[in-house]
Amino acid sequence: MLGTVILPRSDSPRAISRLAEFDWFHKVDAENETVTPEIDDLLLRAQKVFQSVDDVVKGLGIPPRVGILEILFKGTMFKKKEYELDEVARMVADIEGEAHVTIDEIARLLAEIEEVEKSLEEHRTLTDALRVIRGLDVDLGSFGPMKRFFGDIFLVGSADYPEVERSLEGSAMYRYELDSKDTVAVAVFADARDTDDILRVMRAVNASSFTIPAGFSQVPSKAFEAAEAAIKKLESRQAALKKRLAAMTKKIRGRVLTVHERAMVAKDVLESLRKPGGTRRFAVIQGYIPRNLEGKFKETTGEWMSIVEDLPGEEEKKAPTLFRNPRFVRTFEVITESQGIPKKGELDPTPMIALMWPIFYGIMFADVGHGLLLMGMGLLFKLKGQGNLARWGMLIAISGAAASIAGVGSGEAFGFHIDHLEPFESLLEEGGILHPVSWLVGVMSVAELNFEQVINILKVSLFIGILHLLAAMLLRVRRLYKEGKKLVMYMEAIPNITLYLGIVAIMMCAIGSGYDVINMYSKIHTEPVPWVTIFLGDWAQVWIITRISISVVIASVVIMIIGGMKHARAHPEEGADPASVVMETLLGKTIEALAHTISYARIGIMLLVHAALLLTVNNAFKSLGGIESPGALALIIGGNLGIMMIEGLIVYIQSLRLHLYEYFTKWYDGGNQPFRKLLPEIVYNAVSWKR
C-alpha cells in the first residue's frame, strides 16, 4: 500500500521522527523534491559527527562488525545498548554530546601519533641522505650563493664526474669520496657570474645540491648522529603512544561502535527524507507500507493529514517486495536473495528452499558427529554474531542439525558405526531405551560401499530430484496461467511434465529390469518398477510401465512440436522454423530431462565420498595403533577437521547449485527491489521510542 503524509514543511523534522518510529516505510522519491532548511541543518550536524566518529573508527582499525575468527577464538561479543528517544533532532544532539566524551581524547591521541609518524618519516629520510656523506667533515653552512663568488657541494654519480670535471674546467673543484662507491661529493667554487652555467651542468647529470635542514649541525657527521638520536626518541615515543592507544581501544571499542552506528542511523534517515515533495510551504512524504500496518501508520502520523491507498495495477508491479515468512523459513531468504527478489504476484521460493535445503545438505553430509559440530559452530555465530553473520550462523546450524538427523539414518558418527559405539550400542540393543527406534539407525547406510548400498542411495537421490524438478515444473504452469499464456501452458509446459514423467518412468524400468534396456518392454520382465510400483500397486510391472511410458513420451513430443510450430507462426520475430522446433523438442527436451534428473545423483555421490574419506581416515587410525598412539590421534582429529571443512564447503556449493540451476531456472524470474525499512539494520543499539 502507499502511505502519504501532508504537512507544513517546517514540521518535517518531527514527521521524520514519527516515520522513523513507524520504521516500516519505504520512501518513494518525489518528482519535485524541495530542500527543507530544518532537515538540512540537522543532516549537516549528523554528517559532521558521523565523519568525526568514522575517522576515529578507521584510525583505530576497528572493523564495523565482529569477525568470524574473533568470535571463534576470542568469544568477542558486544551487548546492545538501550537507547530511548523521542525526536531525531534530540538524537543528533545526544550523539554530538556522547561523541565529544567518547572520541575526543582518542582523536587527540591519533593526531599525536600521526604527527610523530610524520616526524619519524622525515628524520629517516634525512638519515638515509646523511648516511651517504657522513664521512664528509665539512661545515655545509658556509656554502651557498655569495655576492661575488659561488660555492656549493653537489652529490654527483661517480660515472658522471669526468663529464662534470670537463664541463666546469674553469671552476675550482674538490672531490670527496663517500661511503657509497656510486656517488661522490663535489665542492665547486667559481665566480658568481658562472652560477647559471654550473647549475645547468649539474641538472644535466641529475646532480643535486645537498643541504641539511635548519636545527641540525651543518657538519654531516654530527647531523647524522643527531638524526639517529632523534629517531630513537621518536620510536620510543611512538611505541608508548601505540601501547596507550591499544589499551584505550580495548576499553572503549564497544562505546565507539555504538556511537558510530547511532550516528550512521541518524545520517541515513535524514538523507533518505531530506527532500520531501510538495510546495514551498507544504511537504508531501510518500512511501510504501505493509498492508497489515495501515492502522499503525495512521496512528503514528495522526497529527497531520495521513492517507493510505491501494496501488493501481501498473504501480503495484513496481512496488518493492516484503518477505512474509515464518521465523524458521526466514533463515533461507539469503538463498532467495542471491537469485533476486520475487516480483509482484510471483511466488516466494523461500518456503520450498526451507524444505529442501536441509534434505539436500543432510543427506550429502550425513554424519551425527560432524553434523553436531557444524550445528554448534552455527549456533555460536547465531548467538554471538551480528547482522548477516547471525543469519548465516542459523543457516549453518540448521544444515548441521539436518546432517545429524541424516547421520542417524546412515548409522555413522565420525565414520564409526553408531550401533557399535558405547553407550549407543547398549541403548539400541533389545531391552534398551532406544530399541524401538533402532531400525532407523543405518536405514540408508553406505558404510560398506557395496553395490547394493550404492544403488539404494542413488535411487533415493533421484527420487528426491524428481520431486524437486516436478515442483519447479508445476510452478511454471502456475506462472503461465497467471500471465494468461494459455497456448504455451497447454502445448508446452504441461506436455513437458508428462514427457518428463514418461522419461523418468523409463529410467526406473531400466533399473527394475536389471538394465536389460533392449528387452524391458517384453512380457518376460514382470519385475516391480522402483518407486512406481510403490505408488501404483503390484500391477505396475516393468513391461507394462515401459509400454505406457513410451506412449506418453511420444504423445507429449507430438503435442510439444505442434505447440512449438503454432508459437513460431504467432511470433515470427523470434526466427523459429519447423525444423528447429522438431530438433529442440526431440533432442533438447529429452536430453534436458535426463540431464537434470541425473544431476541429482550428486546427492548420493557426495554421501559416498564423505563415507569413503572417513573410512580411509578411520582405517589409518586403527593401523597406526588406535587411541593409544599420539600419531593416530593427530591423524584422526586432523582428518576429521579437514573432511569437515572441505566437504562442508563442497556440500554447501552443491546444495546451492541444485537450487539455483535446477530449480530456479525452470520457473523463477526475480529481479524486484526489496522493501527497505527506514531505519538501517542496527546491531549495537536497541532503540525504543517515547511519545
Side-chain angles (χ1 to χ4, degrees):
M1 301 186 74
L2 186 67
T4 305
V5 183
I6 304 172
L7 68 158
R9 191 165 289 277
S10 58
D11 282 356
S12 295
R14 286 198 302 117
I16 290 175
S17 300
R18 300 287 71 79
L19 290 172
E21 178 185 357
F22 177 68
D23 196 14
W24 293 90
F25 188 82
H26 182 113
K27 184 178 180 291
V28 176
D29 294 329
E31 294 181 2
N32 57 336
E33 295 181 332
T34 305
V35 173
T36 306
E38 294 86 354
I39 299 178
D40 275 5
D41 291 343
L42 276 177
L43 176 60
L44 184 63
R45 289 167 57 194
Q47 288 173 331
K48 185 177 178 181
V49 71
F50 172 76
Q51 190 60 53
S52 63
V53 180
D54 194 53
D55 288 342
V56 168
V57 169
K58 290 176 179 176
L60 295 175
I62 300 175
R65 297 285 187 270
V66 180
I68 293 175
L69 295 179
E70 191 174 358
I71 291 174
L72 281 176
F73 297 108
K74 296 183 180 179
T76 305
M77 182 180 178
F78 295 109
K79 188 178 179 181
K80 284 190 175 186
K81 183 176 180 181
E82 299 289 338
Y83 181 67
E84 189 177 60
L85 73 154
D86 51 0
E87 300 290 338
V88 172
R90 175 67 180 274
M91 182 182 186
V92 174
D94 289 347
I95 294 167
E96 288 173 331
E98 194 169 349
H100 176 73
V101 174
T102 305
I103 69 167
D104 276 8
E105 184 180 356
I106 205 160
R108 286 193 295 270
L109 186 58
L110 285 169
E112 190 176 355
I113 290 173
E114 185 180 0
E115 184 182 341
V116 168
E117 287 177 344
K118 183 180 178 182
S119 179
L120 195 56
E121 184 180 356
E122 291 172 352
H123 279 78
R124 283 172 177 161
T125 302
L126 177 62
T127 304
D128 291 340
L130 289 170
R131 185 174 284 108
V132 179
I133 63 168
R134 61 181 174 177
L136 191 65
D137 194 15
V138 178
D139 187 352
L140 301 183
S142 58
F143 290 88
M146 293 173 279
K147 186 175 182 181
R148 296 180 181 275
F149 298 97
F150 172 85
D152 209 344
I153 288 184
F154 296 90
L155 300 179
V156 181
S158 300
D160 296 323
Y161 179 74
E163 179 66 25
V164 172
E165 190 176 31
R166 283 194 300 271
S167 300
L168 301 177
E169 58 183 358
S171 304
M173 296 176 59
Y174 298 92
R175 173 174 172 164
Y176 296 91
E177 298 296 333
L178 304 175
D179 292 349
S180 171
K181 301 296 182 183
D182 299 326
T183 309
V184 295
V186 180
V188 181
F189 300 94
D191 192 285
R193 289 172 294 181
D194 297 330
T195 299
D196 290 341
D197 294 335
I198 293 168
L199 294 176
R200 191 181 302 112
V201 170
M202 292 303 178
R203 282 197 298 270
V205 294
N206 292 321
S208 57
S209 173
F210 187 81
T211 57
I212 298 175
F216 286 88
S217 170
Q218 295 301 301
V219 178
S221 57
K222 293 181 180 179
F224 180 77
E225 292 175 1
E228 281 201 321
I231 286 174
K232 288 180 180 178
K233 283 185 178 180
L234 288 169
E235 286 177 339
S236 176
R237 187 181 173 198
Q238 182 190 43
L241 289 173
K242 286 191 172 181
K243 185 177 179 181
R244 184 181 163 199
L245 181 67
M248 288 183 67
T249 302
K250 186 177 181 181
K251 183 179 178 182
I252 69 166
R253 178 183 173 188
R255 287 204 318 242
V256 169
L257 288 173
T258 300
V259 176
H260 181 262
E261 182 181 72
R262 208 179 300 162
M264 181 189 67
V265 168
K267 176 183 73 71
D268 289 351
V269 169
L270 288 166
E271 281 179 346
S272 65
L273 296 173
R274 67 180 291 255
K275 289 183 178 181
T279 64
R280 184 179 176 186
R281 297 186 180 277
F282 286 91
V284 177
I285 305 175
Q286 286 188 315
Y288 300 106
I289 64 170
R291 185 175 297 275
N292 64 322
L293 294 179
E294 176 185 352
K296 184 180 178 182
F297 175 76
K298 287 183 175 179
E299 179 186 349
T300 305
T301 58
E303 58 184 295
W304 304 287
M305 183 181 291
S306 178
I307 304 168
V308 176
E309 56 189 325
D310 289 320
L311 294 165
E314 286 302 316
E315 288 297 321
E316 190 175 13
K317 292 179 181 178
K318 299 177 184 177
T321 299
L322 175 63
F323 285 115
R324 288 287 189 187
N325 290 312
R327 190 180 186 86
F328 172 79
V329 176
R330 211 176 301 154
T331 303
F332 299 89
E333 288 174 359
V334 291
I335 308 296
T336 301
E337 289 169 359
S338 67
Q339 189 68 10
I341 307 299
K343 296 177 181 177
K344 200 69 179 177
E346 193 172 28
L347 211 62
D348 180 6
T350 311
M352 187 65 171
I353 298 172
L355 172 65
M356 299 306 296
W357 181 279
I359 295 174
F360 291 160
Y361 201 100
I363 294 176
M364 286 191 275
F365 201 64
D367 186 278
V368 174
H370 287 179
L372 289 175
L373 288 177
L374 190 66
M375 184 175 70
M377 185 177 72
L379 289 175
L380 179 65
F381 293 159
K382 170 63 180 174
L383 296 174
K384 293 203 170 186
Q386 304 123 353
N388 277 331
L389 181 58
R391 284 190 286 274
W392 281 103
M394 193 61 193
L395 180 61
I396 292 170
I398 291 171
S399 301
S404 297
I405 295 169
V408 174
S410 68
E412 303 293 314
F414 299 109
F416 295 104
H417 298 323
I418 295 175
D419 53 358
H420 293 163
L421 291 175
E422 288 295 346
F424 299 108
E425 185 175 5
S426 56
L427 293 174
L428 291 169
E429 287 178 350
E430 191 171 352
I433 299 174
L434 300 178
H435 180 69
V437 294
S438 60
W439 63 273
L440 287 172
V441 178
V443 70
M444 59 173 193
S445 175
V446 293
E448 308 304 325
L449 295 176
N450 56 45
F451 181 78
E452 184 181 353
Q453 290 181 343
V454 171
I455 292 299
N456 283 337
I457 193 60
L458 289 178
K459 285 180 184 178
V460 171
S461 303
L462 293 177
F463 178 70
I464 293 171
I466 291 164
L467 293 180
H468 200 224
L469 289 172
L470 280 175
M473 292 176 184
L474 289 171
L475 287 170
R476 181 166 181 258
V477 171
R478 176 188 177 275
R479 175 185 154 194
L480 291 170
Y481 178 78
K482 296 269 288 186
E483 293 175 353
K485 298 178 179 178
K486 301 292 179 65
L487 176 65
V488 179
M489 183 183 76
Y490 288 120
M491 303 295 287
E492 194 272 328
I494 294 176
N496 193 40
I497 294 175
T498 57
L499 172 68
Y500 178 70
L501 289 172
I503 291 173
V504 166
I506 292 171
M507 290 171 61
M508 294 297 107
C509 288
I511 295 173
S513 67
Y515 304 100
D516 184 13
V517 178
I518 296 176
N519 298 313
M520 64 184 183
Y521 63 88
S522 173
K523 292 184 179 181
I524 61 172
H525 284 293
T526 57
E527 303 93 337
V529 183
W531 298 116
V532 177
T533 303
I534 294 174
F535 291 106
L536 299 182
D538 293 338
W539 68 268
Q541 298 173 356
V542 168
W543 72 273
I544 297 175
I545 298 301
T546 301
R547 295 183 181 188
I548 294 173
S549 300
I550 292 173
S551 302
V552 169
V553 167
I554 293 171
S556 302
V557 167
V558 170
I559 294 171
M560 291 174 72
I561 290 173
I562 295 170
M565 290 180 178
K566 284 187 175 182
H567 182 80
R569 282 197 297 270
H571 300 277
E573 70 278 2
E574 295 181 3
D577 57 82
S580 63
V581 170
V582 172
M583 291 297 293
E584 182 187 357
T585 305
L586 287 176
L587 296 179
K589 296 296 182 182
T590 53
I591 293 173
E592 182 183 278
L594 286 168
H596 286 307
T597 305
I598 293 171
S599 180
Y600 284 84
R602 73 186 67 233
I603 297 173
I605 291 170
M606 291 306 302
L607 174 59
L608 294 170
V609 170
H610 194 74
L613 289 173
L614 285 172
L615 183 64
T616 303
V617 169
N618 291 344
N619 286 341
F621 169 71
K622 291 175 183 176
S623 65
L624 289 175
I627 198 168
E628 296 179 357
S629 168
L633 286 173
L635 172 69
I636 197 165
I637 293 171
N640 273 273
L641 289 175
I643 291 170
M644 270 193 66
M645 291 170 61
I646 297 170
E647 282 281 304
L649 178 60
I650 293 174
V651 167
Y652 164 78
I653 293 170
Q654 297 303 330
S655 298
L656 193 62
R657 185 197 177 283
L658 290 174
H659 281 94
L660 298 186
Y661 295 103
E662 308 297 347
Y663 180 66
F664 279 114
T665 54
K666 302 289 183 299
W667 67 280
Y668 187 70
D669 276 343
N672 200 22
Q673 60 171 324
F675 185 96
R676 303 285 186 194
K677 296 200 296 183
L678 198 56
L679 293 180
E681 182 182 36
I682 53 178
V683 296
Y684 300 114
N685 292 274
V687 178
S688 58
W689 293 83
K690 60 181 179 180
R691 297 290 295 272

